[in-house]
Amino acid sequence: MSAASLRRTFARDFARRAKAFHRLASTYPLTTDDVHDLRVTTRRLRASIAMLRHAGVREKTSRARRKLRALGRLLGECRMLDVAIEDAERYRVSAAKLELRRNRAYAALRRALAPSRVAAVSSLLEHIREEIPDAHFEKLGRRLERSERDVERRLARAAPRSPRARHALRIEMKKIRYLIEAFGRQSPSMRRLQDGLGREHDLAVLQSMTARIPAAARDGRTARSRADRAREAALRSAMIHLRAIRSALQR
């Protein structure tokens, strides 16, 4: 894929995400699926805006990232509780306290999604979208190369064992996946790694909010094993995609 083609792909992806943001954020009431989709959309937009800042687009980007980050925290709380309640029901433990906490989280989210606030974020995203044709994508080389080196260092080490380290791996790989997908590339192995790490994290969160659940602990170990099996292939895939994008943009 040529540099010009990558630029067009990125621009189309950003426009599509911005449109999805406005549609989802303007929806009321939000379903649990809507919350998940809006959370992912805000994260993808933040990842793309971070790249645009490295490409020289500065106006409005800091403000947009702050607003998206604040909204993302609220969406994350709602999503975490949605999943925890669903799992509590699956493992047949009481979700009463979780329900009360979720009600408060959704009330805060509704306030954050007031029409005037959604319109303000959408306006910022539209301004940024208009700046994409003038972005200096060739400047992304150093940023992409740094990500390659980070992934290479992870490959040289054993799989992380602590929950904190595994969560850090999950977040890092998610950002890289959003980046390569913004440029039109896909990595099934990275998705498998994220699925395993994500499920492991969800079950750990559930047990931190309730009593220890033996079946959930067992399923968490299964998810952890699945993630570890996918790890090496996912890291190698990330390096290949990052290198290919960097090479194309610098030609």
Side-chain angles (χ1 to χ4, degrees):
M1 188 177 284
S2 67
S5 180
L6 282 176
R7 287 169 173 266
R8 289 192 297 270
T9 298
F10 185 96
R12 285 195 299 269
D13 183 81
F14 190 91
R16 182 164 60 89
R17 306 291 178 191
K19 184 176 180 180
F21 170 84
H22 186 79
R23 175 178 57 80
L24 289 164
S26 302
T27 298
Y28 184 82
L30 288 169
T31 67
T32 56
D33 286 342
D34 290 335
V35 168
H36 172 67
D37 291 345
L38 183 54
R39 184 190 185 203
V40 171
T41 297
T42 61
R43 285 183 162 188
R44 287 181 180 275
L45 285 167
R46 284 171 55 197
S48 292
I49 290 171
M51 286 298 104
L52 288 170
R53 284 179 62 79
H54 285 288
V57 178
R58 295 285 173 172
E59 190 177 356
K60 310 291 186 183
T61 52
S62 292
R63 189 177 175 196
R65 288 180 73 190
R66 285 197 303 271
K67 287 183 175 294
L68 289 171
R69 185 182 295 112
L71 179 57
R73 284 195 290 268
L74 292 173
L75 289 163
E77 176 79 1
C78 290
R79 178 60 181 169
M80 176 187 69
L81 290 164
D82 283 340
V83 173
I85 289 169
E86 183 179 313
D87 282 334
E89 293 171 351
R90 178 180 295 113
Y91 293 110
R92 299 185 179 183
V93 298
S94 175
K97 291 183 179 179
L98 298 179
E99 291 278 8
L100 291 173
R101 183 172 168 182
R102 181 170 68 173
N103 290 341
R104 291 193 296 268
Y106 268 83
L109 179 60
R110 281 196 297 274
R111 292 192 293 271
L113 293 177
S116 60
R117 294 184 176 185
V118 173
V121 176
S122 291
S123 178
L124 290 171
L125 294 175
E126 177 59 20
H127 182 90
I128 294 168
R129 186 193 66 78
E130 292 173 351
E131 296 295 315
I132 292 177
D134 297 323
H136 299 284
F137 281 85
E138 68 279 2
K139 291 184 177 181
L140 294 180
R142 186 174 297 176
R143 174 67 180 82
L144 294 169
E145 188 174 13
R146 187 163 65 247
S147 293
E148 286 179 51
R149 289 198 299 268
D150 290 343
V151 173
E152 188 174 17
R153 281 193 288 270
R154 282 196 174 277
L155 260 175
R157 300 195 298 264
R161 308 315 302 169
S162 73
R164 186 173 184 175
R166 293 175 72 80
H167 184 58
L169 171 63
R170 175 181 171 233
I171 297 302
E172 179 183 344
M173 294 302 289
K174 184 176 293 186
K175 289 179 180 179
I176 292 175
R177 198 188 107 214
Y178 290 165
L179 165 62
I180 68 171
E181 289 182 355
F183 284 105
R185 303 182 74 92
Q186 300 290 326
S187 174
S189 60
M190 291 179 71
R191 283 182 176 272
R192 287 193 295 272
L193 173 62
Q194 274 191 262
D195 287 346
L197 290 171
R199 188 59 185 150
E200 178 188 358
H201 178 70
D202 288 342
L203 292 170
V205 167
L206 171 67
Q207 293 184 93
S208 73
M209 295 179 171
T210 62
R212 181 169 174 79
I213 307 167
R218 182 192 63 238
D219 291 344
R221 291 191 294 271
T222 299
R224 179 182 185 128
S225 177
R226 188 163 62 245
D228 286 347
R229 289 195 301 272
R231 175 180 167 274
E232 183 174 346
L235 291 172
R236 293 190 184 282
S237 176
M239 286 182 62
I240 290 170
H241 287 297
L242 289 167
R243 188 171 298 134
I245 293 169
R246 178 168 60 87
S247 177
L249 290 176
Q250 293 183 322
R251 280 201 294 268

